[in-house]
Amino acid sequence: MLALLRSFSWRELRHHPWRNAAAIVAVMLGVALAFSVQLINASALDEFASAVRSVNGQPDLELRATQGGFDEKLFLRIATHPQVELASPVVETQVQLLAAGGKRVPMRVQGVDSLVLAGIAPALMPKPAEGVDRLAQFAPGNVFLNAAARTSAGADASTLQMQAGTQTIALQIAGSVSAGGSALAVMDIGVAQDLFDRGGQLSRIDMRLKPGVDRTAFARSLEQSADWPTGLRLAEPGDAAQRVSNLSRAYRVNLTVLALVALFTGAFLVFSVLSLGVAKRAQQFALLGVLGLTPRQRLQLTLLESGVLGFVGSLAGIALGTALAMLALRLLSGDLG
């Protein structure tokens, strides 16, 4: 009986090429449009995220230790990587700002390399105050404050008192940085390493990748390399990914809904073609029933044909969808213009 079922199904698939071709084309177009839009969405979101990070002065990836710091020798490997456009080393320390009246304000101190900072995190770029030498950012004892730290230190203050552990440190306020948020002080990375006894150590490395580089694939390739140090992780800075996702949500939802309309339309066409085929073969199914085929087996026959048509159409649709996405991205660029 099973042999009869298979032979009948195969004969029907071969003897109705136009009907079967229509079903396959319907599946192929629906799957192709849905899959191509999914690929285009991923590319556009990645390009949009890169643009937002560039405008906001955020790196593409941050390399951090899960605990403490790591050896600064790793910076050379990252900076010379062929997929990395810019790399910025950072030493970060949490201190207490000694404000007027004995008040203590938590403050972050970041040691940065000003020579590469402008291209990867301009919000941290030191801006010398009026009358201060433009090279003051490299001088020991100088610090640059954001608005929150400046307010805590006093608008007219020229020096900054802070406590790191049991050590009280006095620094000269030489200018400002445009970074927002909580109290933040920026100084030269070499000065910070000497001041906080962090010689040869880094807290993180900010990276700007070259255009077109996939962040996830890049991070995976580094973390899976045999000589990669343990205890390090690569991640996007802060909540940037979530903010970018929220900004582009309406755009991506619209494209996805249009793709689902095409997919559902294709599914309806396939259902219509198969329903018409079953209706036209009512006498043949009746004959199969007389020969001993149960209703369950006749249902299996129809499902088998549907599965074969759907499988062939889905494979063709994935191939066509990939080609359509590549064509669209080539003509419209990665961010769709």
Side-chain angles (χ1 to χ4, degrees):
M1 188 60 67
L2 289 177
L4 175 63
L5 186 65
R6 295 193 192 98
S7 63
F8 180 82
S9 177
W10 176 245
R11 186 170 59 253
E12 287 300 317
L13 289 174
R14 288 189 297 111
H15 289 175
H16 298 85
W18 295 109
R19 187 187 67 204
N20 298 330
I24 291 175
V25 168
V27 174
M28 179 181 67
L29 291 179
V31 172
L33 289 175
F35 188 64
S36 63
V37 167
Q38 180 65 26
L39 294 178
I40 291 171
N41 272 350
S43 174
L45 179 60
D46 187 70
E47 292 290 333
F48 185 57
S50 179
V52 170
R53 284 192 297 270
S54 179
V55 171
N56 292 341
Q58 296 174 332
D60 292 324
L61 289 173
E62 288 181 351
L63 173 63
R64 290 180 177 270
T66 53
Q67 185 175 5
F70 56 91
D71 197 325
E72 66 178 8
K73 293 180 180 179
L74 188 61
F75 174 74
L76 180 61
R77 175 178 175 179
I78 297 297
T80 57
H81 195 283
Q83 293 181 309
V84 175
E85 185 174 1
L86 285 174
S88 174
V90 179
V91 171
E92 185 172 274
T93 303
Q94 190 74 26
V95 300
Q96 295 288 327
L97 170 61
L98 304 180
K103 183 179 179 182
R104 296 173 178 267
V105 179
M107 183 177 70
R108 291 177 298 132
V109 178
Q110 292 190 1
V112 298
D113 182 0
S114 301
L115 297 179
V116 298
L117 203 60
I120 194 169
L124 296 178
M125 189 67 188
K127 301 176 182 177
E130 185 177 353
V132 177
D133 186 77
R134 62 186 181 88
L135 299 179
Q137 55 195 339
F138 302 108
N142 287 341
V143 69
F144 299 81
L145 308 180
N146 71 345
R150 185 73 193 189
T151 300
S152 300
D156 299 328
S158 59
T159 59
L160 178 73
Q161 297 283 335
M162 62 183 181
Q163 183 173 351
T166 58
Q167 182 183 13
T168 301
I169 303 171
L171 298 172
Q172 187 74 24
I173 301 176
S176 63
V177 294
S178 60
S182 59
L184 172 68
V186 174
M187 62 175 60
D188 182 70
I189 186 170
V191 176
Q193 287 177 321
D194 293 338
L195 191 62
F196 301 111
D197 195 23
R198 300 283 295 277
Q201 293 288 308
L202 296 177
S203 300
R204 74 171 192 266
I205 299 176
D206 295 337
M207 285 172 273
R208 173 68 50 78
L209 304 181
K210 292 184 177 179
V213 176
D214 183 88
R215 298 188 305 277
T216 304
F218 171 79
R220 188 186 305 114
S221 66
L222 281 183
E223 292 173 345
Q224 292 180 352
S225 57
D227 57 344
W228 184 251
T230 58
L232 298 180
R233 64 182 181 89
L234 282 162
E236 293 187 20
D239 297 326
Q242 184 62 40
R243 291 196 300 269
V244 169
S245 178
N246 292 338
L247 285 172
S248 62
R249 179 179 298 165
Y251 158 81
R252 292 181 290 112
V253 167
N254 286 337
L255 281 181
T256 302
V257 168
L258 292 176
L260 289 176
V261 168
L263 185 60
F264 292 151
T265 302
F268 176 75
L269 290 176
V270 172
F271 175 78
S272 300
V273 169
L274 293 175
S275 298
L276 181 61
V278 171
K280 287 184 176 181
R281 287 187 290 166
Q283 295 180 351
Q284 299 174 10
F285 281 119
L287 177 60
L288 289 176
V290 172
L291 294 176
L293 236 64
T294 64
R296 181 182 181 86
Q297 290 174 322
R298 280 174 280 174
L299 176 61
Q300 291 176 350
L301 169 65
T302 305
L303 294 178
L304 175 62
E305 294 180 13
S306 304
V308 171
L309 295 176
F311 179 74
V312 174
S314 297
L315 289 181
I318 290 176
L320 179 60
T322 303
L324 287 176
M326 293 176 61
L327 179 62
L329 294 176
R330 176 170 296 182
L331 295 177
L332 302 176
S333 76
D335 58 358
L336 302 183

